[in-house]
Amino acid sequence: MNRILGIGISLAGLLIATSAWAQEAPGRSPDYDLRHEVLLHGTAADVKVIPDWMGREGVNVMLKTQDPDLVHVDLAPAAFLKVVDFSIVPGDLLELTGAWATVGGKPVFLAHSVKKQRVTISVRGPDGLPMW
C-alpha cells in the first residue's frame, strides 16, 4: 500500500511540474494570437524595465484605462525601443493594438503596435512575431 501511495505522489509531482513547464517554458515568449487582437486606449501610469522571459530588459507599461484595474502591457525590449527612438513615460496617452496572454498566471497585454501622439510603431510583424 505504501508503495502505491509513493508512486501516486511521484506521479502527481511529475504532472504538476510538467503542467508548469508547459505553461511557461523558459526562453519562450507567450503565444500571440492575431485572431484576438484588440485596441486599448489609456494613459501610462507607470513604466518599468524588467527582465523578460528571455532575460532581456523589457519595457512594461501599467496602462490606466476606463477599467478600474491597471492593464499590464508587455511592450518590447528596451534596446529595440532605443533603436527606433521611441520612449514612453508616465502620463503619455497611448493607443495600443495587441492581444491578451497569460504570463505567470496573470493576464498580460502583448503589444503589436503602439501609438503616442502622431507616432505609431510596430513591435510585431504582420504574422504577430516580435520584430526584435
Side-chain angles (χ1 to χ4, degrees):
M1 182 69 148
N2 284 341
R3 184 174 180 193
I4 293 172
L5 181 60
I7 291 170
I9 291 171
S10 296
L11 286 174
L14 180 62
L15 285 172
I16 291 169
T18 303
S19 173
W21 177 81
Q23 289 178 6
E24 289 182 55
R28 183 176 174 274
S29 65
D31 290 333
Y32 187 88
D33 190 349
L34 283 169
R35 298 170 298 164
H36 293 104
E37 280 191 333
V38 295
L39 185 65
L40 289 181
H41 295 271
T43 303
D46 192 18
V47 181
K48 291 185 180 176
V49 177
I50 58 175
D52 65 11
W53 50 85
M54 294 186 69
R56 289 184 260 186
E57 297 295 306
V59 174
N60 289 258
V61 176
M62 295 307 289
L63 189 70
K64 182 174 175 56
T65 63
Q66 292 179 348
D67 191 317
D69 294 327
L70 293 176
V71 174
H72 179 173
V73 178
D74 188 352
L75 196 56
F80 176 82
L81 295 177
K82 186 174 182 177
V83 167
V84 297
D85 194 25
F86 191 84
S87 63
I88 296 175
V89 297
D92 283 344
L93 296 174
L94 304 174
E95 180 179 293
L96 296 128
T97 300
W100 290 97
T102 301
V103 178
K106 297 181 180 176
V108 175
F109 190 77
L110 303 176
H112 188 153
S113 66
V114 60
K115 179 178 180 181
K116 180 178 83 168
Q117 296 175 350
R118 293 181 296 173
V119 177
T120 302
I121 65 162
S122 291
V123 296
R124 292 178 179 272
D127 55 3
L129 295 175
M131 295 181 69
W132 53 89

